Amino acid sequence: SRPTVLVSMGGSDPHNLTMRMAMALAGLDSVYRVRFVVGTGMKNAENVARGLVTLKKNYETVEGADDLSVEYASADVAICAFGVTAYELAACGIPAIYLGLTQDHAFSASAFAQAGMGISLGVADKVGDDEILHSVERLLNNSAARRDMRKQGLSLLDGQGAARIAADLATALAAARKPVKTA
């Protein structure tokens, strides 16, 4: 019932972006529920989880999850380190704000932004915390933009890419197995 922001900075979060996002989003109105994914590969995961919930009363953790589909379904907006999660969020129609760990990630995230599925802020270590907070606030307060991003994600990513690749490979293999007719 409360608007929800999902924060996912990767299963291991090697750049400690989860805690950085917690600090950046501290100025977000407490009416919003902020859920942080604490990945199974995260160093000091227990300490990070404990630290998150003590920062603000509206901060919650998602720990040890193998499947985030329920979290995606309940999120109004997500902020994530660009990677597999960005694809999953887009396929589920969740408007997202992307942070790249590298310039290459930021470049890939910009393609998602250009396609209208989310907002790319660039490389994480070059983005200020105020910009992160304001981007989340703007997106939360713009239902039309969220609706458009949802529509774009659902229309562009259907989650069937692996099946299409497998079908193409099977077709190619079948074609390769056909005997070549010689004259």
Side-chain angles (χ1 to χ4, degrees), residues 173-183:
L173 181 60
R177 287 184 175 164
K178 285 184 181 176
V180 178
K181 293 183 183 182
T182 56

Side-chain angles (χ1 to χ4, degrees), residues 41 43 50 61 108 116 121 160:
K43 189 176 179 179
R50 220 177 358 266
T61 59
S108 296
L121 296 182
Q160 299 301 313

Side-chain angles (χ1 to χ4, degrees), residues 52-137:
L52 288 166
V53 296
T54 59
L55 280 175
K56 279 190 80 178
K57 65 180 181 174
N58 63 323
Y59 282 6
E60 304 169 5
T61 59
V62 179
E63 301 171 58
D66 291 330
D67 179 3
L68 293 173
S69 59
V70 172
E71 294 302 322
Y72 297 159
S74 64
D76 296 285
V77 168
I79 183 165
C80 68
F82 189 83
V84 173
T85 300
Y87 288 85
E88 293 171 342
L89 290 165
C92 291
I94 308 305
I97 297 170
Y98 315 116
L99 292 165
L101 298 180
T102 65
Q103 189 59 45
D104 184 52
H105 289 176
F107 179 73
S108 296
S110 70
F112 273 49
Q114 288 173 358
M117 295 183 286
I119 298 167
S120 176
L121 296 182
V123 178
D125 63 2
K126 296 185 181 347
V127 180
D129 289 356
D130 285 343
E131 184 178 355
I132 293 166
L133 173 62
H134 296 308
S135 295
V136 171
E137 288 174 327

